[in-house]
Every structure is written in structure tokens, then in C-alpha cells.
Amino acid sequence: MPLPLGLSSALRERLSERFSTAQAVRDQHGRDESPYPTTPPDAVVFAESTDDVIAVVRACNEHATPVIAFGAGSSVEGHFLAFEGGVCLDLSRMNRVLEIDAENMTATVQAGATRTQLNTECRHLGLFFPIDPGADASLGGMAATRASGTNAVRYGTMRENTLSLTVVTAEARLLRTSRITKKSSAGYDLTRIFVGSEGTLGIITEVTVRLYPQPETIAAALCGFDSVLDAVRTVMQTVQVGVPVARAELVDALTIRAVNAHSRTGLTEVPTLMLEFHGSAASVQEQAQTVQALARDNGARSFEWSANPEERSRLWAARHHAFFACLQLKPGARAFTTDACVPMSKLGDCIEATLIDIRETGLTCPLFGHVGDGNFHCLVLAHPGDADEMAAAEQLNQRTMQRALQFGGTCTGEHGVGRHKRELLLDEFGEAGVDLMRRLKAAWDPKGILNPGKVLPPPAPNQQAAH
Amino acid sequence: MPLPLGLSSALRERLSERFSTAQAVRDQHGRDESPYPTTPPDAVVFAESTDDVIAVVRACNEHATPVIAFGAGSSVEGHFLAFEGGVCLDLSRMNRVLEIDAENMTATVQAGATRTQLNTECRHLGLFFPIDPGADASLGGMAATRASGTNAVRYGTMRENTLSLTVVTAEARLLRTSRITKKSSAGYDLTRIFVGSEGTLGIITEVTVRLYPQPETIAAALCGFDSVLDAVRTVMQTVQVGVPVARAELVDALTIRAVNAHSRTGLTEVPTLMLEFHGSAASVQEQAQTVQALARDNGARSFEWSANPEERSRLWAARHHAFFACLQLKPGARAFTTDACVPMSKLGDCIEATLIDIRETGLTCPLFGHVGDGNFHCLVLAHPGDADEMAAAEQLNQRTMQRALQFGGTCTGEHGVGRHKRELLLDEFGEAGVDLMRRLKAAWDPKGILNPGKVLPPPAPNQQAAH
């Protein structure tokens, strides 16, 4: 479906060759890591400034045409697929680190800057940005999906680490969501409203995040177990006794096998905890001793240090590639990532029930995750050409989300809702909660142009008139 | 102005003697620690359950009558004063600790439960709730104002520590704002929207907060300086080098004099840092050594330990009573508390300019605060009977807020907006930001019954029609 003529010409006039309707460009912006087929936008624009974003949103608003923010394209739940057509607003060229304020330990970046880029630019100041979702996502996208990853157990998520945002509203007004102070009680929490709103309430163009002093000492450890549950119990106890562990990742035997094949590591193929400790030398030693003792009590087979930086980097690179490594367990397959997150006390039971479910389906499904936060992924692999397998995978995904909810958890710990999980919000928040979200959306985006069809469940047929 | 007749009878029928229009009861609910004169509601109801709250809000909504939530009554900016009349909904009888979940380190309490009550009930489990605004505030009120206090430098504020809320909406619908997990990317952040909304978006009836393991070792220290700025510099450096200090409070010489008189302490009357360190024995020692060295470099006169629990308790009790102690520096006076919070790097300059301003006014104005967060209060004391003094105090208050904004800060670090600071939001967030807040309010509270006239600045006269 082509764009309204007036809109095309307005965008082309402003952006010239940075406005594209080429099929290859549209397809590239209509494809993510979700199981959905390619769903391209009608056009792609490449913004290079906040003024570009204002101009694009203003034009789309005038023509009541969808506008979809696009960062690094690493979403896994159909976040930016153009189910209702419209304009994809690619922010990846807005990738400058605008300011690193070493005294206040903050950084302000354009939305398209990536986390590794930020870390490269603040390293020489002895600072780092801990949030690490695996993919080299853009900071704008990470804020928009309330991302987290391996370090969240100690440093929190984008919710805790986003200090302020520059946002363009649906009606093309520009605002800064808050002052960059450590705390404030002034007014409604605009920053936290935009964090996790997935481009449906406004377009994030700049992000200010918190930085941290590089730890004096970093140590990593690998700890093998006979069973996933022994590993999970170790982490539950670690968190409960208050060890400020920096990373506490579970990878199951199948994931290790995939990682070994993909990253040429030689890890023993058993359920494994990958741990990292940050702090002073004394504190790191104290932390590690405590965890080692807990691991031993839970029947750990091994506890191996990996203290030198190169070895540590290789280890975490291997962990970060787990997603792509696992995809190769079944060449040509797509992944239903699942993203259950439950209260820590329920984690063992929830994972146990999920492992039984996986076994019964017979699907290829490695399991790994950020167990220090009660969060795990089982990567359900299925061939897009095999309708039965795709259906079985989706059913397993649905059961995993429902199980998380039944255990008091959330349907998504860190990936966001996108298109794929929007119906689940009714189960998670109830009608009253979803009603407030719908009212907020309608109040801030009256024409419904911002990433339509995402986050909010579609109204039931008999409610269409009311909404 | 009396309530609509139908509303009075409906409330009396449901609540019988828990509905009151007695002048003494109304006055008691129309008076806070702000400089405003008593501004009572038309009636007070005492809720004993969430069902009571639903019934009261439903009745008020039917009659388009204001309903104002009331917790412990410890606000300082006119938060619950009934400038537009209506019903005060007193939640102080809803004060049960509903659940302490030691495994997940969370507690769920009714909105009227206080922080000391919660701490009493979780102490035997080896857990504690760190947020500590000085007053023995209710947890519902603390969530509603995004409160913090002395421990925020390490443990964060109510923003970071409120995990989920039970809320009654303006239209008397009940919802739970989120699942109690360590993180979630599901939907808009309803929890954070209600935290800090000061009763204008919904009535909080239950609060789930995060608890922490009691630190293995706690040590406090008093550190005297020749000047406030030397003390501030010490804290700025402490935070920058990453010492996880648990409390870092500045009290100026005048505050110390007030505290000595009020709490019969014998502290040296010089600008003083009150510090607390939490952690393992080794970590506490490491932290304290680092801070002591920084203090020495900044010309500290003394660094005294206060390691035993009784002495420590006495010290912090004295600090907590600083507000009331300072009031007694000028018997009969009211306090303009001010609540500037700026980026850490600006704190010294902002405090320095404020001290000069105070000196020039000649007003009695002790200064203290949570300098580890860039937050300080100067308590401007003035006699309500002395119009000139009251005006001068309000002008100093306004200049202090404007100065905070000029230094990149916020007009309120932890007290909230209430009535007193609502015009400042335009300076802090701009028209576009305030417009989003107004739309949110209108979408969630279409009749404007929830604590009207608070938080949001009144529309400019030429905007009245549009809003």
C-alpha cells in the first residue's frame, strides 16, 4: 500500500535520498528475529537529527500515517514490523555519543548509538555502561523496550539506568522528560512512561544513562552441575544471602553444545552457571567464596576461575552469541525466544515444569537466562516451512508465558511485548490495567500513528465501538 | 461548603461513625507542615479496607466531588489541603503488614502502614526496608510522593523500591499495577506512573516494596569541617570513586545547634557529615578508610566513629528530628522546607550560592540534606503573623528552586509538588512535558475528582478553554 502522495513528496523533499521505497530497503526494515514473516513498511526514512524526526512525525501526523521507530533491528517479538504499513523511521544514523559527564557519571547519546559504542567511548575515563542485552542494540531501542541482560542482577535494567530522554511526541512536539539528577519528586514520571513504551507513545531521539566506575577487580567463574535445578538453587541462595553478584547466567547442556560448536569453546556440556563478580579485590574474593560454598552444597561438579581479561571476554562473547549459536542447532529454523520472569522463589519450580513441557513436545529447545533476576529464555526452534512444528512451537511459547503468569511472574522479563505478546497483557494486568494503558495511548497519540498494533491488545470485537 | 446531600448520606450509610464532618476532625486533616493555613476538607472518611476505598471513590465520582487521600499527614507542600473542598479519605487505619515474603525479599502492606511498623515486623527475619524520609510516613504516602531520605544514596528511592501497587482508579476500578518480579518489559510502567502521582491519578491502597538483608556490619561516623563546602566536596568525591556509602548527610552548624538543644546531644557545632557504611566487616572498613582519607584531604577537623548500635540509633534519631529541632530555633514559626536537588558536580556551587542568598536575607535558615544524592533542604523559618517575613521566606524558597533548575536540577528532590510547587513544573518540564501530564490526568480522571489543584500547574488564563 503506497503512502499518501502528499506525504511521499513532503518526505522526499525534506530528506531526498534518505527517503526510500526500494523493496530491499523496506524488506530489511520489515524483518526481525521473531517468527513473523517479513512485514515491510511502505517507506523508510533515515533521520540524521532530532529535527529530521520532528519533520517526519509532523508529516505522518498530518496524513494520519503510521510511523515506526527503528534502531538496530534486534527485536525478537515483531516490535517494528509494519502490520499496518506506514513509514519506518530509521534512527541508526543518529549514533553520536553527545556527552560523557564523568563527574556525574552520566552519558547522553543519540538514540541510534549502540551500547558497545558507548562503552568504547567511556572506557578511557574509567567508566562503563553495564546494561547488556546480548545484541549490540541501540540505546534508544533498549530504552524503548526496557531492556536488561546479563548485568541487571547487580546494576538494574534500563528502567533504573535511564535518567532522561529527549522525545518527539505524536504531534511533533519536542520535550526532555526530566532533569538529570539522581532523584526527583517533580510531577509524573515521564521518563519511566517512555521507557518500555516501544515507540507507541513518542519517538526517543536522545537517551541519558547512568555510568558506573569500572570495578577495581573483576572475576568470572564457570560452575558445572548435574542438573539445571541444582544450578538454579545456587543462584537463588546467592541472591538471598545478599551477594552482589554482577552476572549469574544459567546455560543448559544443549546451549553449551551449541556455543561450543559456534564459538569453538571447549566447555563441558553440562548445566552451567556463568558468574561474574565486581568489586575491590577483598570484596570479590568474599563474594566468590560465598558462592563457591553454596555451589558445593548444591552438588556442583566444578568451579573454575577465569580471571584473566582475555579468557573472560571470550567466555562472555560465547554467552552473547548463544542466541545465534542455538539457531544453528537447527539450520533454517526461526526462534520463539520466550522470556519468562518469575519471583526468585518460584524460579526452580517454573523451570522444572518448563523442562518437562519441552521434553514432552520433542522440540529442539535450549534453555538459558538471567536466573539472578528470575528470568530465563527457552529458545523454541521451528522450521518456518513446517506448519505443524511452527504451531507446536507457538503453543509451547504460549504455555511458557501462561506458566510464568501462573507462578506470579510476567510474560516478558526483558524483550518487550511487540506484536507477539500483546494479548497476554490482559492476563497480566487485567481489563482495568489495560484500560488505563489504552487511555494513555489515546491521550498522547490521538490519531494512533505511533507504531500501531503493538503493545496494547486489540479491543475485543464488542468493544471496538467504545475504543 | 457542604457535600452534596446524596453523597453525604451515601457515605454515612456505608461508613456510619467512620464518616465525620466535625470541625476538629476536618481541621486535623486540613493541616500539614507547609506554610499554608489550615484548609480543611468538607468531610473525612476513615477507610478500613480497599472495598471502603472503592465505595468512597465511586460515590465521589458519581457526585463529581473531590476525594483526597490522606496517610500520616506528614506532607510539607500542601499535598492534601482541600483547596477545592471535598472528602478526605483517611487511610491510616489500613495499616496492616499483609505479607512479608522473606524468600523474595518483598513486603506487601496496606497504604496506611508506616515504615517503622514495617521494619519492626521484618526485623526478626534479618530483613529491613531502607527508605527513610525522616517522618514516620505511611508507605502509601511515600509511594505517592516518590519519597526517599537518608538511605537513598545507596538503596534508591520509592521509585526503585516500589515493586507493585494496588490502586483504585477515579472511576472506582481496582487494579494491581504489576507482577512482583525483579524486572519486566510488559506494557506501560503503571507502577512508576502512580509512584509520585500524589493521589491525583488513583488511590493507592496496597504497596509492595523491596526488602534488603540486614547488613552484616554497620558503622557510622561523624566528620566535622570548617566549611560546608569542604564537607560537600568530600561527599562528591566519595560518590565519584564509587564507595557504596549507605548514608551521607550534611548538617550545617546551625542545624547542629538546634539538634543539640532538641535531642540533648553534645555535638560540636560545625558543618558536619553524618555517614553510615553497610556491608561485610572487610567492606565497611575499606569504605570508611577511603572516605576518611578523602575527608582528611578536604581539611576535616575530626572523624569520629560511632560503632555501637545505641550510639548510632541516638545519632540518627537526632538527625531525623532535625526538622522539628530547627522549627524550635524560632518558636511559633512555620517552615518553607525547600528541596533542591542538582547534579552532584553542581552541588557545591549551588549550596555556596544558596548560603550567600540566605546570609543576605537575614532569615533564620538552617541547611541540611542528603548530599550524597545532590539534595539539600534549607529550612526557611518565618512567623505566620509577620507578612513581610513570610513573603521574604517564600521569595527565598522560590529563588532556591529556580537556582536548582538553573544548575540543571529539579525543584523537588523528594518532597513532591503538592500545591506549593506546581507552577515550577512549567520551568522544569516545559509546556510540552506539562501538556503530556495534563492529558494523562484528563484521561485517567475525566471528572478531575482526585486531589484536584495539586501537581499540575493551573492552565494559563488564555488556555482555560482548551483544557
Side-chain angles (χ1 to χ4, degrees):
Chain A
M1 155 178 79
L3 294 181
L5 218 57
L7 177 56
S8 294
S9 52
L11 294 175
R12 187 168 289 118
E13 188 177 337
R14 161 129 199 148
L15 299 152
S16 61
E17 81 290 352
R18 292 188 285 117
F19 169 83
S20 174
T21 54
Q23 190 66 44
V25 175
R26 290 167 51 213
D27 282 353
Q28 186 206 343
H29 289 79
R31 196 162 46 213
D32 67 0
E33 296 297 338
S34 75
Y36 289 109
T38 301
T39 312
D42 300 314
V44 178
V45 296
F46 295 87
E48 290 182 351
S49 67
T50 292
D51 282 348
D52 279 349
V53 174
I54 292 172
V56 170
V57 172
R58 180 174 295 131
C60 287
N61 191 46
E62 273 168 21
H63 293 274
T65 296
V67 55
I68 304 169
F70 180 100
S74 51
S75 304
V76 291
E77 300 294 353
H79 289 75
F80 56 78
L81 304 191
F83 296 98
E84 305 185 17
V87 175
C88 176
L89 177 51
D90 184 318
L91 298 156
S92 61
R93 296 185 190 178
M94 289 181 61
N95 64 353
R96 273 186 303 141
V97 174
L98 299 171
E99 191 194 6
I100 294 178
D101 180 342
E103 267 192 306
N104 293 304
M105 292 189 282
T106 65
T108 300
V109 304
Q110 289 185 310
T114 68
R115 62 175 183 89
T116 55
Q117 204 185 330
L118 173 58
N119 270 316
T120 303
E121 297 205 22
C122 65
R123 188 169 299 136
H124 70 286
L125 297 164
L127 297 170
F128 82 115
F129 174 69
I131 318 297
D132 157 22
D136 191 17
S138 67
L139 275 299
M142 287 170 63
T145 52
R146 208 181 291 133
S148 45
T150 60
N151 277 311
V153 60
R154 168 135 178 187
Y155 296 95
T157 71
M158 286 303 281
R159 184 172 70 197
E160 289 79 26
N161 288 287
T162 304
L163 298 175
S164 184
L165 298 167
T166 302
V167 173
V168 175
T169 70
E171 286 152 353
R173 295 184 80 178
L174 184 67
L175 71 132
R176 191 77 183 151
T177 55
S178 64
R179 298 305 179 101
I180 306 171
T181 50
K182 291 178 78 177
K183 64 185 198 183
S184 171
S185 289
Y188 304 148
D189 195 343
L190 297 180
T191 307
R192 254 49 61 180
I193 300 178
F194 284 107
V195 170
S197 65
E198 304 187 8
T200 64
L201 297 177
I203 308 287
I204 296 169
T205 64
E206 293 174 10
V207 186
T208 301
V209 294
R210 181 184 281 183
L211 302 176
Y212 294 81
Q214 281 163 17
E216 190 184 314
T217 307
I218 300 179
L222 278 177
C223 188
F225 290 86
D226 288 326
S227 87
V228 163
L229 294 179
D230 291 338
V232 169
R233 251 190 304 273
T234 302
V235 173
M236 288 164 69
Q237 292 163 2
T238 297
V239 171
Q240 271 160 18
V241 299
V243 175
V245 61
R247 284 168 156 157
E249 296 289 300
L250 168 72
V251 274
D252 76 351
L254 182 55
T255 305
I256 296 269
R257 196 208 303 167
V259 163
N260 278 341
H262 182 270
S263 300
R264 301 189 191 180
T265 42
L267 306 172
T268 313
E269 294 179 8
V270 295
T272 299
L273 286 182
M274 299 171 79
L275 303 161
E276 193 164 277
F277 306 99
H278 294 178
S280 66
S283 151
V284 162
Q285 199 185 356
E286 226 174 31
Q287 294 175 47
Q289 278 168 351
T290 307
V291 178
Q292 190 164 5
L294 293 172
R296 199 183 305 117
D297 290 350
N298 285 301
R301 301 159 54 113
S302 57
F303 194 97
E304 288 166 48
W305 287 100
S306 162
N308 84 59
E310 290 73 32
E311 203 176 318
R312 229 175 43 230
S313 294
R314 211 165 43 243
L315 187 69
W316 290 115
R319 167 63 189 86
H320 282 142
H321 297 149
F323 178 85
F324 293 102
C326 287
L327 276 182
Q328 291 173 17
L329 285 170
K330 196 174 168 101
R334 302 288 285 171
F336 296 71
T337 51
T338 82
D339 186 26
C341 184
V342 297
M344 281 306 283
S345 66
K346 308 290 187 192
L347 183 62
D349 293 344
C350 187
I351 288 185
E352 187 168 27
T354 303
L355 289 171
I356 292 169
D357 193 0
I358 292 171
R359 250 196 318 272
E360 286 174 357
T361 61
L363 290 163
T364 303
C365 184
L367 186 150
F368 52 86
H370 318 304
V371 287
D373 296 316
N375 183 208
F376 66 95
H377 310 297
C378 40
L379 213 66
V380 197
L381 298 176
H383 274 296
D386 183 338
D388 288 349
E389 195 173 62
M390 287 293 276
E394 176 61 29
Q395 285 157 17
L396 176 53
N397 176 42
Q398 291 290 335
R399 287 196 304 275
T400 305
M401 291 192 284
Q402 290 293 350
R403 187 178 300 115
L405 293 175
Q406 282 154 18
F407 277 107
T410 172
C411 69
T412 173
E414 57 177 11
H415 290 168
V417 176
R419 177 74 163 199
H420 201 182
K421 292 179 180 165
R422 54 188 190 155
E423 279 82 8
L424 271 288
L425 291 202
L426 284 167
D427 297 305
E428 185 156 341
F429 293 96
E431 271 289 352
V434 169
D435 176 58
L436 292 186
M437 294 186 198
R438 285 190 178 126
R439 290 183 192 210
L440 171 58
K441 166 75 175 174
W444 285 13
D445 179 17
K447 294 186 186 172
I449 62 165
L450 295 173
N451 204 8
K454 311 297 164 56
V455 182
L456 298 169
N462 58 358
Q463 290 184 310
Q464 298 271 12
H467 293 274
Chain B
M1 146 180 85
L3 294 181
L5 218 58
L7 178 56
S8 294
S9 53
L11 294 175
R12 187 170 287 116
E13 188 177 336
R14 160 127 201 151
L15 299 152
S16 60
E17 81 291 349
R18 292 187 285 117
F19 169 83
S20 174
T21 54
Q23 190 66 44
V25 175
R26 288 167 50 213
D27 282 353
Q28 186 206 343
H29 289 80
R31 199 163 44 213
D32 66 1
E33 296 297 340
S34 76
Y36 289 109
T38 301
T39 311
D42 300 314
V44 179
V45 297
F46 295 88
E48 290 182 350
S49 66
T50 292
D51 282 348
D52 280 348
V53 174
I54 291 172
V56 170
V57 173
R58 181 175 292 132
C60 288
N61 191 46
E62 273 168 19
H63 293 273
T65 296
V67 56
I68 303 171
F70 180 101
S74 51
S75 303
V76 290
E77 301 293 354
H79 289 75
F80 57 80
L81 303 191
F83 296 98
E84 306 185 17
V87 176
C88 177
L89 176 53
D90 185 319
L91 298 156
S92 61
R93 296 185 190 178
M94 289 180 61
N95 64 353
R96 274 185 302 140
V97 174
L98 299 171
E99 190 194 7
I100 295 178
D101 180 341
E103 266 192 305
N104 293 305
M105 292 189 282
T106 65
T108 300
V109 304
Q110 288 185 310
T114 68
R115 63 177 183 88
T116 56
Q117 203 185 330
L118 173 57
N119 270 316
T120 304
E121 297 206 23
C122 65
R123 189 169 298 138
H124 70 285
L125 296 164
L127 297 170
F128 83 116
F129 175 68
I131 317 296
D132 156 22
D136 192 17
S138 67
L139 275 299
M142 288 170 62
T145 54
R146 208 181 291 134
S148 45
T150 60
N151 277 312
V153 60
R154 168 135 177 186
Y155 297 96
T157 71
M158 287 302 280
R159 183 173 71 196
E160 289 79 26
N161 288 286
T162 304
L163 299 174
S164 184
L165 299 166
T166 302
V167 173
V168 175
T169 71
E171 286 154 350
R173 295 184 79 178
L174 183 68
L175 71 132
R176 191 78 183 150
T177 55
S178 64
R179 299 305 180 100
I180 307 172
T181 49
K182 292 179 78 178
K183 63 185 198 183
S184 171
S185 289
Y188 304 150
D189 195 343
L190 296 180
T191 306
R192 253 50 60 180
I193 300 178
F194 285 107
V195 170
S197 65
E198 302 187 10
T200 64
L201 296 177
I203 309 286
I204 297 170
T205 64
E206 292 174 9
V207 186
T208 301
V209 294
R210 180 184 282 184
L211 302 174
Y212 293 81
Q214 280 163 17
E216 191 185 313
T217 306
I218 300 179
L222 279 177
C223 189
F225 291 86
D226 288 325
S227 87
V228 163
L229 294 180
D230 291 338
V232 169
R233 250 189 304 274
T234 302
V235 172
M236 287 164 70
Q237 291 162 2
T238 297
V239 171
Q240 270 160 20
V241 300
V243 175
V245 61
R247 285 168 155 156
E249 296 289 301
L250 168 72
V251 276
D252 75 353
L254 182 55
T255 306
I256 295 268
R257 197 207 305 167
V259 162
N260 278 341
H262 183 270
S263 300
R264 301 189 190 180
T265 41
L267 307 173
T268 313
E269 293 179 9
V270 295
T272 300
L273 287 181
M274 300 172 77
L275 301 161
E276 193 164 278
F277 306 99
H278 294 178
S280 66
S283 150
V284 161
Q285 199 186 355
E286 225 173 31
Q287 294 174 48
Q289 278 168 351
T290 306
V291 178
Q292 190 162 4
L294 293 172
R296 199 183 306 118
D297 290 350
N298 286 302
R301 302 160 54 111
S302 58
F303 194 96
E304 289 166 47
W305 287 101
S306 162
N308 84 58
E310 290 73 31
E311 205 177 316
R312 228 175 44 231
S313 294
R314 211 165 44 243
L315 186 70
W316 290 114
R319 166 63 188 87
H320 283 141
H321 296 150
F323 178 85
F324 294 102
C326 288
L327 276 182
Q328 291 172 17
L329 286 171
K330 195 173 169 102
R334 302 288 284 171
F336 295 71
T337 50
T338 83
D339 185 25
C341 184
V342 296
M344 281 306 283
S345 65
K346 309 289 187 193
L347 183 62
D349 293 343
C350 187
I351 288 185
E352 187 168 26
T354 303
L355 288 171
I356 293 169
D357 194 1
I358 292 171
R359 251 195 317 272
E360 287 173 356
T361 62
L363 291 163
T364 304
C365 184
L367 187 149
F368 51 86
H370 318 304
V371 286
D373 297 315
N375 183 208
F376 67 95
H377 311 296
C378 40
L379 215 65
V380 197
L381 297 176
H383 274 296
D386 183 338
D388 288 348
E389 195 173 62
M390 288 292 276
E394 176 61 28
Q395 284 156 18
L396 176 53
N397 176 41
Q398 291 291 335
R399 286 196 302 277
T400 306
M401 290 192 285
Q402 289 295 350
R403 188 178 300 114
L405 293 175
Q406 281 153 20
F407 278 107
T410 172
C411 68
T412 174
E414 57 178 11
H415 292 168
V417 177
R419 178 74 163 197
H420 201 183
K421 292 180 181 167
R422 53 187 190 154
E423 279 82 7
L424 271 289
L425 292 202
L426 284 168
D427 297 305
E428 185 156 341
F429 294 96
E431 272 290 352
V434 169
D435 176 59
L436 292 186
M437 294 185 197
R438 286 191 177 123
R439 290 184 192 209
L440 171 57
K441 167 75 173 173
W444 286 13
D445 178 17
K447 294 186 186 172
I449 62 166
L450 294 173
N451 203 9
K454 311 298 166 54
V455 182
L456 297 170
N462 60 358
Q463 290 185 311
Q464 297 271 13
H467 293 274

